[in-house]
Amino acid sequence: MEISNKYFHEEDKKYYLPTFKRFPLAFIKGKGSRMWDANGKEYIDMLAGIAVNNVGHCHPSVVRAIQDQAAELIHISNFFVSPPQVALSKLLVDTSKLEHVFLSNSGAESVEGAIKVARKYAFTHKRGGKIISMHNSFHGRTLATIATGQEKYQRGFGPIPTGFVQVPFNDLDAVEKELNEEVAAVILEPIQGEGGIRPADLKYLQGLRELCDKENVLLIFDEIQCGIGRTGHLFAKDHYQVQPDIMTLAKGLGGGTPIGAFLCNKKVGDAIDFGDHGTTFGGNPLASAAALATLKVIEEEKLLKAATDKGKWLTDQLNGLKAKFPMIKEVRGLGLMIGVQMDRPAAPIVKGLMDDGVIANATAESVLRLVPPLNVPQEDLEIVMEKLEGVLTQLSNDEQ
């Protein structure tokens, strides 16, 4: 078998459903913040599998946990419990200060579960099941989650599930106008990811909490991208000191192993009966062991502080480039969840970086997204900034 980027890219196009506009690269190895493609080229990874590899590629502790667990027990069913699942459930409840957890396989599945339990709570309180979400949000690709999200993801998949309404992000009055007895919950990302790395305002989240309490509407935080240490706190909610009724997790939770979760407080948990929700694979021993190891690495290696310190350094450097290159309009984010707002499509910058051995991506068309592993070495960040400046310089020169 030929081992090259071209070979794997062509083979992929033959067999895989054409849902991804892939770059013609095939990666075969990763370690820490570095990856190698099938042609042997080395890259610095500033995307981390889209905020998934928060402890880097193939962290030894996570690899060891997966290997050890795979040799003992991979899967049972949720008719039974396993020690890794029990330990992970306790850890997530303790660190989130919520009351209950449900383990799933992905972010979209976690949001679907959050919507279900929110509607069950509303039903027990004789309220309707409408869900309010935000413009430019992203909560997944299933039918219910695209109903909460951007219109471009809904096109061609009608009829879209009903019972969803969208309002502008960071606009408290817009939410208040929609609140009535038909509303079950408000869902939002504390920092919008696919919407362009846009943090919520503190007074907005505080106001939402007050409004939801007043109207007995549940507040759901989607922390699938911004959670698990990404922002310098284990959960982004802790930046704001605002506690949701339900919180969804995935991406960074398993260190690259597919696992998701949603957590809820006691009043939501009290509305749930046996059989109201379920999963075959969610929280199986293998995935739970990987998640436990990932969370342990974040704590033991002090990666929350690393995300804060490195995020500040990176933001300062990017603002320095902003002063030099007018094409940069704004630098946004928290910790190591950073968006660089350009005055043009960001794809050419992503391509220039990739050609020079750096993996990043464009979101919301004109935003360069940087979400590296939390343990990315300082020297790698310095190399990336040099390469980014080189790409921006070349683009500026091409315009002259």
Side-chain angles (χ1 to χ4, degrees), residues 24 76 101 172 191 216 248 263 274 302:
I76 44 175
V101 64
L172 192 61
I191 305 172
N216 197 23
T248 63
L263 294 107
F274 293 121
K302 297 179 172 54

Side-chain angles (χ1 to χ4, degrees), residues 96-147:
S96 69
K97 309 303 181 188
L98 289 163
E99 190 79 12
H100 302 285
V101 64
F102 183 94
L103 297 172
S104 66
N105 304 283
S106 70
E109 187 184 341
S110 299
V111 174
E112 289 263 2
I115 291 169
K116 276 187 69 177
V117 298
R119 284 179 165 173
K120 182 63 186 296
Y121 174 85
F123 174 80
T124 63
H125 288 78
K126 297 180 170 53
R127 299 184 63 89
K130 185 181 291 185
I131 306 295
I132 299 174
S133 61
M134 307 302 145
H135 291 168
N136 297 316
S137 65
F138 184 85
H139 299 291
R141 300 275 193 161
T142 60
L143 282 172
T145 54
I146 64 172

Side-chain angles (χ1 to χ4, degrees), residues 112-219:
E112 289 263 2
I115 291 169
K116 276 187 69 177
V117 298
R119 284 179 165 173
K120 182 63 186 296
Y121 174 85
F123 174 80
T124 63
H125 288 78
K126 297 180 170 53
R127 299 184 63 89
K130 185 181 291 185
I131 306 295
I132 299 174
S133 61
M134 307 302 145
H135 291 168
N136 297 316
S137 65
F138 184 85
H139 299 291
R141 300 275 193 161
T142 60
L143 282 172
T145 54
I146 64 172
T148 68
Q150 301 173 47
E151 186 177 347
K152 66 181 180 180
Y153 297 118
Q154 301 174 6
R155 201 169 297 124
F157 299 109
I160 299 299
T162 58
F164 298 89
V165 62
Q166 293 188 7
V167 299
F169 186 57
N170 272 329
D171 186 338
L172 192 61
D173 290 340
V175 176
E176 188 168 15
K177 287 175 183 175
E178 291 290 340
L179 288 181
N180 55 47
E181 289 297 317
E182 293 303 311
V183 175
V186 176
I187 183 171
L188 75 155
E189 304 150 89
I191 305 172
Q192 288 192 331
E194 304 306 310
I197 315 298
R198 299 180 184 277
D201 296 334
L202 173 60
K203 289 185 178 180
Y204 172 66
L205 290 190
Q206 291 174 334
L208 278 179
R209 181 68 276 172
E210 292 173 5
L211 270 179
C212 289
D213 286 342
K214 178 183 175 183
E215 300 293 334
N216 197 23
V217 167
L218 298 180
L219 181 59

Side-chain angles (χ1 to χ4, degrees), residues 13 19 78 204 270 291 331 333:
K13 288 193 291 185
T19 56
N78 281 303
Y204 172 66
D270 286 346
V331 179

Side-chain angles (χ1 to χ4, degrees), residues 215-244:
E215 300 293 334
N216 197 23
V217 167
L218 298 180
L219 181 59
I220 305 172
F221 281 178
D222 179 341
E223 294 226 15
I224 288 161
Q225 188 167 155
C226 62
I228 314 299
R230 174 59 48 193
T231 64
H233 283 275
L234 192 58
F235 309 112
K237 70 181 179 67
D238 296 328
H239 280 282
Y240 299 95
Q241 294 297 299
V242 175
Q243 184 78 331

